[in-house]
PDB file of all heavy atoms in Angstrom:
ATOM      1  N   SER A 100       3.061  34.126  -4.107  1.00 96.00           N
ATOM      2  CA  SER A 100       2.799  34.946  -5.294  1.00 96.00           C
ATOM      3  C   SER A 100       1.467  35.658  -5.068  1.00 96.00           C
ATOM      4  O   SER A 100       0.483  35.045  -4.500  1.00 96.00           O
ATOM      5  CB  SER A 100       2.824  34.133  -6.612  1.00 96.00           C
ATOM      6  OG  SER A 100       1.764  33.076  -6.466  1.00 96.00           O
ATOM      7  N   ASN A 123     -10.153  37.501  10.270  1.00 98.00           N
ATOM      8  CA  ASN A 123     -10.733  37.711  11.593  1.00 98.00           C
ATOM      9  C   ASN A 123      -9.743  37.600  12.722  1.00 98.00           C
ATOM     10  O   ASN A 123      -9.737  38.433  13.631  1.00 98.00           O
ATOM     11  CB  ASN A 123     -11.897  36.780  11.849  1.00 98.00           C
ATOM     12  CG  ASN A 123     -13.068  37.053  10.919  1.00 98.00           C
ATOM     13  OD1 ASN A 123     -13.282  38.204  10.476  1.00 98.00           O
ATOM     14  ND2 ASN A 123     -13.918  36.015  10.678  1.00 98.00           N
ATOM     15  N   GLN A 148       4.557  35.117   5.906  1.00 97.00           N
ATOM     16  CA  GLN A 148       4.430  33.899   6.674  1.00 97.00           C
ATOM     17  C   GLN A 148       2.908  33.518   6.872  1.00 97.00           C
ATOM     18  O   GLN A 148       2.525  32.382   6.549  1.00 97.00           O
ATOM     19  CB  GLN A 148       5.096  34.004   8.057  1.00 97.00           C
ATOM     20  CG  GLN A 148       6.635  34.095   7.791  1.00 97.00           C
ATOM     21  CD  GLN A 148       7.491  33.749   8.986  1.00 97.00           C
ATOM     22  OE1 GLN A 148       7.109  32.977   9.833  1.00 97.00           O
ATOM     23  NE2 GLN A 148       8.668  34.267   9.100  1.00 97.00           N
ATOM     24  N   LEU A 162      -8.708  19.826  -0.643  1.00 96.00           N
ATOM     25  CA  LEU A 162      -8.224  18.439  -0.837  1.00 96.00           C
ATOM     26  C   LEU A 162      -8.871  17.476   0.180  1.00 96.00           C
ATOM     27  O   LEU A 162      -9.246  16.323  -0.166  1.00 96.00           O
ATOM     28  CB  LEU A 162      -6.688  18.420  -0.723  1.00 96.00           C
ATOM     29  CG  LEU A 162      -5.934  17.167  -1.083  1.00 96.00           C
ATOM     30  CD1 LEU A 162      -6.229  16.746  -2.497  1.00 96.00           C
ATOM     31  CD2 LEU A 162      -4.455  17.243  -0.705  1.00 96.00           C
ATOM     32  N   ALA A 169      -3.365  12.082   4.496  1.00 98.00           N
ATOM     33  CA  ALA A 169      -1.841  11.899   4.557  1.00 98.00           C
ATOM     34  C   ALA A 169      -1.558  10.909   5.641  1.00 98.00           C
ATOM     35  O   ALA A 169      -2.133  10.839   6.653  1.00 98.00           O
ATOM     36  CB  ALA A 169      -1.159  13.237   4.864  1.00 98.00           C
ATOM     37  N   GLY A 187      -3.431  18.243  12.678  1.00 98.00           N
ATOM     38  CA  GLY A 187      -4.432  18.455  13.775  1.00 98.00           C
ATOM     39  C   GLY A 187      -3.703  18.882  15.118  1.00 98.00           C
ATOM     40  O   GLY A 187      -4.354  18.808  16.164  1.00 98.00           O
ATOM     41  N   ILE A 230      34.004  25.206   6.497  1.00 98.00           N
ATOM     42  CA  ILE A 230      34.211  26.664   6.121  1.00 98.00           C
ATOM     43  C   ILE A 230      33.479  27.532   7.056  1.00 98.00           C
ATOM     44  O   ILE A 230      34.038  28.571   7.584  1.00 98.00           O
ATOM     45  CB  ILE A 230      33.786  26.856   4.671  1.00 98.00           C
ATOM     46  CG1 ILE A 230      34.849  26.280   3.697  1.00 98.00           C
ATOM     47  CG2 ILE A 230      33.627  28.326   4.336  1.00 98.00           C
ATOM     48  CD1 ILE A 230      34.458  26.317   2.226  1.00 98.00           C
ATOM     49  N   VAL A 241      28.342  32.517  10.952  1.00 98.00           N
ATOM     50  CA  VAL A 241      27.670  32.058   9.739  1.00 98.00           C
ATOM     51  C   VAL A 241      27.516  30.537   9.976  1.00 98.00           C
ATOM     52  O   VAL A 241      28.356  29.900  10.672  1.00 98.00           O
ATOM     53  CB  VAL A 241      28.527  32.353   8.460  1.00 98.00           C
ATOM     54  CG1 VAL A 241      29.957  31.721   8.508  1.00 98.00           C
ATOM     55  CG2 VAL A 241      27.799  31.845   7.216  1.00 98.00           C
ATOM     56  N   ILE A 252      22.778  23.820  -0.520  1.00 98.00           N
ATOM     57  CA  ILE A 252      22.746  24.244   0.871  1.00 98.00           C
ATOM     58  C   ILE A 252      22.747  25.762   0.970  1.00 98.00           C
ATOM     59  O   ILE A 252      23.531  26.468   0.348  1.00 98.00           O
ATOM     60  CB  ILE A 252      23.972  23.637   1.589  1.00 98.00           C
ATOM     61  CG1 ILE A 252      24.046  22.139   1.486  1.00 98.00           C
ATOM     62  CG2 ILE A 252      24.048  24.056   3.049  1.00 98.00           C
ATOM     63  CD1 ILE A 252      25.286  21.441   1.976  1.00 98.00           C
ATOM     64  N   GLY A 272      35.441  25.704  -5.632  1.00 97.00           N
ATOM     65  CA  GLY A 272      34.658  25.261  -6.844  1.00 97.00           C
ATOM     66  C   GLY A 272      33.088  25.395  -6.776  1.00 97.00           C
ATOM     67  O   GLY A 272      32.445  24.979  -7.676  1.00 97.00           O
ATOM     68  N   PHE A 284      17.848  34.078   8.395  1.00 96.00           N
ATOM     69  CA  PHE A 284      17.014  33.059   9.031  1.00 96.00           C
ATOM     70  C   PHE A 284      17.673  31.771   9.288  1.00 96.00           C
ATOM     71  O   PHE A 284      18.685  31.417   8.685  1.00 96.00           O
ATOM     72  CB  PHE A 284      15.722  32.803   8.194  1.00 96.00           C
ATOM     73  CG  PHE A 284      14.962  34.115   7.919  1.00 96.00           C
ATOM     74  CD1 PHE A 284      14.315  34.256   6.611  1.00 96.00           C
ATOM     75  CD2 PHE A 284      14.811  35.121   8.835  1.00 96.00           C
ATOM     76  CE1 PHE A 284      13.669  35.416   6.388  1.00 96.00           C
ATOM     77  CE2 PHE A 284      14.141  36.226   8.535  1.00 96.00           C
ATOM     78  CZ  PHE A 284      13.503  36.418   7.323  1.00 96.00           C
ATOM     79  N   ILE A 303      -0.941  29.469  23.113  1.00 97.00           N
ATOM     80  CA  ILE A 303      -1.872  28.730  22.200  1.00 97.00           C
ATOM     81  C   ILE A 303      -1.928  27.240  22.513  1.00 97.00           C
ATOM     82  O   ILE A 303      -0.939  26.724  23.226  1.00 97.00           O
ATOM     83  CB  ILE A 303      -1.466  28.878  20.749  1.00 97.00           C
ATOM     84  CG1 ILE A 303      -0.133  28.333  20.377  1.00 97.00           C
ATOM     85  CG2 ILE A 303      -1.614  30.383  20.333  1.00 97.00           C
ATOM     86  CD1 ILE A 303       0.204  28.411  18.918  1.00 97.00           C
ATOM     87  N   GLU A 304      -2.929  26.513  22.097  1.00 98.00           N
ATOM     88  CA  GLU A 304      -3.027  25.107  22.403  1.00 98.00           C
ATOM     89  C   GLU A 304      -2.368  24.344  21.291  1.00 98.00           C
ATOM     90  O   GLU A 304      -2.633  24.511  20.186  1.00 98.00           O
ATOM     91  CB  GLU A 304      -4.468  24.754  22.480  1.00 98.00           C
ATOM     92  CG  GLU A 304      -4.698  23.312  22.981  1.00 98.00           C
ATOM     93  CD  GLU A 304      -6.109  22.753  22.822  1.00 98.00           C
ATOM     94  OE1 GLU A 304      -7.007  23.474  22.359  1.00 98.00           O
ATOM     95  OE2 GLU A 304      -6.299  21.632  23.131  1.00 98.00           O
ATOM     96  N   VAL A 321       7.406  13.279  14.684  1.00 98.00           N
ATOM     97  CA  VAL A 321       7.035  13.683  16.036  1.00 98.00           C
ATOM     98  C   VAL A 321       5.517  13.770  16.088  1.00 98.00           C
ATOM     99  O   VAL A 321       4.845  14.150  15.191  1.00 98.00           O
ATOM    100  CB  VAL A 321       7.540  15.136  16.247  1.00 98.00           C
ATOM    101  CG1 VAL A 321       7.199  15.617  17.620  1.00 98.00           C
ATOM    102  CG2 VAL A 321       9.064  15.250  16.131  1.00 98.00           C
ATOM    103  N   THR A 378       5.812  12.979  -7.290  1.00 98.00           N
ATOM    104  CA  THR A 378       5.535  14.251  -6.689  1.00 98.00           C
ATOM    105  C   THR A 378       4.263  14.856  -7.405  1.00 98.00           C
ATOM    106  O   THR A 378       4.116  14.728  -8.705  1.00 98.00           O
ATOM    107  CB  THR A 378       6.675  15.278  -6.855  1.00 98.00           C
ATOM    108  OG1 THR A 378       7.001  15.446  -8.225  1.00 98.00           O
ATOM    109  CG2 THR A 378       7.837  14.816  -6.114  1.00 98.00           C
TER     110      THR A 378
END
Side-chain angles (χ1 to χ4, degrees):
S100 59
N123 290 336
Q148 296 201 26
L162 186 64
I230 287 174
V241 60
I252 299 171
F284 305 144
I303 64 175
E304 189 190 355
V321 180
T378 58

